[in-house]
Amino acid sequence: MTSTFHGLETARRGLTTQQAALYVVGQNVANANTLGYSHQRVNMAAETAYPNPGMNREQIPGQMGTGVKAGSIQRVRESFLDVQYRSESTKLGYWTGRAEGLSKIEDVMDELKGTGLSDSIDSFWQSIQDLATNSVNSGGKAVVRERGIALADTFTYLNSSLNMVRSDLKNELNVTVEKANSMLGSIDQLNKQIAAIEPHGYLPNDLYDSRDLLIDELSSMMNIKVDYVKNGGNSQAQAMGSAVIKLNNGTAEPLTLVDSTTVNPIALMFNGEDGAVDTISIGGNAVPTATFISEGMLLSLLQTYGYTNTEGKLAGDLPDMIKELDHMAYTFATEFNKVHKDGLSAKELAAWKTALESDPAAKIEDFNEDILFFTDEYNADPQNVKGFASRIRISDEIKESYDYIANASVATPNDGDASNLLKLADVFYEKLNYKDALADSSPAAEKESLGAYLQSIIGTLAVKTEQADRLSVNSATLLQNVSDRRSSVSAVSLDEEMTNMVQFQQAYNASARMITMIDECLDKIINGLGVGGR
């Protein structure tokens, strides 16, 4: 026979369980705008029925329910959507980084606004053409000199600006790695806190949310794989356990970043050519940059800043562009100087004419001083391709006087001759090997004029940037779609919470009314029975 107070206890359990559900509703509403918060619910379960099966069980028609209990408080989350979200976050991080890096290079080259290198080249060529129409025009000579200086300064400015961008990217790389290591450390701490709570049968939902938020952010930096290991003890079936995060790098055995006991920090080694990253260290395990293919913000920054490739050479968008500028400046200056040295300037012609007054047999070839137009440092002939764009200058002679500009040829030595100026103008359209300035053995089909080669470089850069922009937009759209689906499952819906609040409030009121009714019954039993005849 059940206890006299059986109904009272059943109603009390209903009252406390509905009250707990109302508390959870309050928690959800309070965190409706908390970043990363997943809405929670009370898993209600019926209490064990009475009596328990056994030989000594009470002989009643059947088992009688004993009320309800709050089995657990569980957050609502779908792990499949988390995996999808992190996959798209990795792609977005990579393509956003690529788009930003390439856009910075485009901003420096500044070809779209007509104020870049191509404009300086065209202006210099036009000044030579104008001077060729009147080679004794001092104003025209001054313009050629100034346009030559402007072209050299443009090469120097572009080299300096690209190196500044590269320096900034190095800082950004270090900041990204420090941020990733900070996240790994925080995840490790959360793992330890969760491992201390779960064995006692609790679900640390708020710690789960904090950890998932960090994992989501980490996934934008690199391609990661997340597994969970149980913490044992009296852990519930819904307990997530400790997160084990590994780096997906296309290898059969991914490198572990965080497991249940340790954290392996990331470090970059800038020991490559020109300070390029040659190795990535993960917990002491060295990963050559040539084999690092884990997509994410970190890889995009490496590909823009510069890394050591499979051939042990420097590669990357910025180093490649700096190298192209060096090759263009060196090849063009060398070929331009060859023609300029063969020509005769007004100064050389004047010296020859003066010599003729005393020596009618004086030869014009003896007065050709092989004057350079473009020079390396210390007024010398260009010697070293590497870094030449940062060192290109106008020769001291031409800076001193524009009468050193070689306008005439040896075959027609007079002031009004402009044949050498026309040869100088032709250098702009001569097909040269800009790709490898020191090994001019390329087939003619691989050679280009200065302007065409610059256009091919800018065109390639534009295509890369357009692709990165397009894929970053696509990735952002896909990530937003996954985020929306995840929010529809995990985020707090105020409408749903209001409905739940009314539902649980009604159940709470009914339980309270049940207690009142049973109390009245007990009052009748205790105070109303056995009083007849008094």
Side-chain angles (χ1 to χ4, degrees):
M1 182 177 180
T2 58
S3 167
T4 305
F5 301 101
H6 175 89
L8 189 62
E9 176 63 17
T10 300
R12 184 198 64 78
R13 289 173 176 169
L15 193 72
T16 55
T17 301
Q18 303 306 325
Q19 188 178 33
L22 283 170
Y23 289 162
V24 172
V25 169
Q27 166 76 354
N28 288 337
V29 172
N31 287 281
N33 296 318
T34 301
L35 182 63
Y37 179 82
S38 303
H39 91 267
Q40 301 174 6
R41 71 184 177 201
V42 174
N43 292 323
M44 298 184 188
E47 277 284 4
T48 305
Y50 178 84
N52 291 323
M55 294 298 293
N56 60 345
R57 70 184 185 277
E58 188 177 355
Q59 296 301 313
I60 58 175
Q63 285 188 312
M64 185 174 293
T66 59
V68 67
K69 63 180 179 182
S72 62
I73 299 174
Q74 182 185 8
R75 64 178 189 149
V76 180
R77 193 123 178 158
E78 191 171 329
S79 58
F80 175 68
L81 292 177
D82 284 339
V83 173
Q84 278 194 318
Y85 181 92
R86 288 160 191 163
S87 174
E88 297 302 329
S89 177
T90 298
K91 295 174 187 173
L92 178 62
Y94 175 74
W95 287 113
T96 300
R98 291 287 294 154
E100 291 177 354
L102 292 168
S103 295
K104 288 177 181 176
I105 299 176
E106 277 195 334
D107 291 342
V108 171
M109 298 307 292
D110 202 21
E111 289 296 327
L112 294 179
K113 297 178 182 175
T115 56
L117 181 59
S118 61
D119 184 64
S120 296
I121 293 172
D122 291 343
S123 298
F124 186 41
W125 176 83
Q126 187 61 51
S127 68
I128 294 174
Q129 288 283 27
D130 293 344
L131 180 61
T133 60
N134 184 6
S135 60
V136 296
N137 186 302
S138 57
K141 291 181 180 180
V143 171
V144 169
R145 180 177 64 180
E146 295 306 318
R147 294 284 170 79
I149 293 173
L151 178 59
D153 287 347
T154 302
F155 273 115
T156 307
Y157 170 78
L158 292 176
N159 178 278
S160 171
S161 298
L162 290 174
N163 277 299
M164 286 181 63
V165 172
R166 193 160 180 252
S167 177
D168 292 341
L169 277 179
K170 183 177 182 180
N171 294 332
E172 191 172 348
L173 266 172
N174 287 325
V175 169
T176 300
V177 170
E178 287 178 10
K179 188 175 180 181
N181 285 336
S182 175
M183 289 180 187
L184 294 176
S186 298
I187 291 171
D188 180 56
Q189 291 299 316
L190 286 168
N191 269 346
K192 288 181 171 61
Q193 293 179 46
I194 290 168
I197 295 174
E198 283 184 343
H200 297 284
Y202 295 115
L203 295 177
N205 295 317
D206 296 334
L207 297 182
Y208 292 156
D209 285 340
S210 298
R211 187 175 63 183
D212 282 340
L213 192 61
L214 289 170
I215 295 174
D216 287 348
E217 192 170 354
L218 183 66
S219 67
S220 68
M221 298 180 181
M222 58 198 76
N223 189 352
I224 56 175
K225 181 175 184 292
V226 184
D227 294 318
Y228 296 93
V229 293
K230 295 295 182 182
N231 284 315
N234 194 28
S235 298
Q236 294 191 27
Q238 302 96 323
M240 296 193 69
S242 296
V244 178
I245 301 176
K246 296 182 178 180
L247 177 72
N248 270 334
N249 193 37
T251 56
E253 186 60 34
L255 291 171
T256 300
L257 298 171
V258 174
D259 60 19
S260 57
T261 57
T262 60
V263 55
N264 294 316
I266 303 169
L268 301 179
M269 306 300 172
F270 294 87
N271 298 322
E273 182 182 347
D274 287 347
V277 180
D278 63 337
T279 307
I280 300 172
S281 172
I282 300 175
N285 295 309
V287 180
T289 50
T291 62
F292 184 76
I293 58 172
S294 178
E295 281 192 343
M297 180 64 75
L298 182 60
L299 180 62
S300 68
L301 290 174
L302 283 174
Q303 289 179 342
T304 306
Y305 169 76
Y307 63 96
T308 302
N309 63 17
T310 53
E311 299 174 354
K313 297 180 179 178
L314 175 63
D317 300 316
L318 275 168
D320 286 348
M321 184 58 74
I322 292 171
K323 182 179 177 183
E324 296 286 10
L325 284 176
D326 286 342
H327 282 220
M328 280 193 294
Y330 179 88
T331 305
F332 175 73
T334 302
E335 295 301 320
F336 197 85
N337 282 343
K338 284 180 184 176
V339 178
H340 194 266
K341 286 193 294 186
D342 289 343
L344 295 171
S345 66
K347 289 277 189 183
E348 292 165 319
L349 287 169
W352 175 60
K353 288 177 181 177
T354 301
L356 283 176
E357 294 175 358
S358 57
D359 181 12
K363 295 181 179 179
I364 184 63
E365 290 84 357
D366 296 335
F367 293 86
N368 189 339
E369 300 179 20
D370 290 341
I371 297 170
L372 301 172
F373 193 95
F374 294 105
T375 69
D376 207 325
E377 289 179 313
Y378 311 115
N379 206 39
D381 227 342
Q383 296 294 326
N384 189 1
V385 181
K386 189 175 178 62
F388 182 70
S390 66
R391 305 189 306 270
I392 184 172
R393 307 281 189 276
I394 299 297
S395 69
D396 291 343
E397 290 84 356
I398 293 178
K399 281 182 183 175
E400 177 187 336
S401 171
Y402 46 67
D403 282 335
Y404 280 108
I405 296 174
N407 58 287
S409 64
V410 175
T412 53
N414 62 76
D415 289 339
D417 180 42
S419 56
N420 200 59
L421 289 173
L422 295 176
K423 290 179 182 177
L424 288 173
D426 289 342
V427 174
F428 288 83
Y429 294 98
E430 187 176 349
K431 292 190 174 182
L432 304 172
N433 180 8
Y434 294 98
K435 198 70 180 174
D436 190 355
L438 292 180
D440 188 12
S441 57
S442 301
E446 295 181 3
K447 297 181 179 180
E448 289 290 351
S449 65
L450 179 62
Y453 189 70
L454 177 60
Q455 286 177 3
S456 70
I457 294 171
I458 299 302
T460 303
L461 176 63
V463 170
K464 284 184 177 179
T465 307
E466 187 272 338
Q467 181 193 28
D469 285 337
R470 176 168 49 79
L471 291 178
S472 65
V473 171
N474 291 348
S475 299
T477 302
L478 292 173
L479 180 65
Q480 187 60 49
N481 290 339
V482 176
S483 179
D484 291 343
R485 290 206 303 274
R486 191 167 72 163
S487 295
S488 69
V489 174
S490 301
V492 175
S493 167
L494 292 178
D495 293 340
E496 181 183 351
E497 297 304 327
M498 290 302 103
T499 303
N500 289 339
M501 185 180 70
V502 172
Q503 178 184 349
F504 296 138
Q505 184 185 23
Q506 293 292 332
Y508 182 88
N509 292 340
S511 296
R513 184 71 186 90
M514 193 70 188
I515 289 175
T516 302
M517 185 274 294
I518 293 175
D519 179 63
E520 291 173 352
C521 291
L522 292 174
D523 179 65
K524 177 60 70 177
I525 293 172
I526 296 170
N527 299 317
L529 292 180
V531 296
R534 287 184 182 179

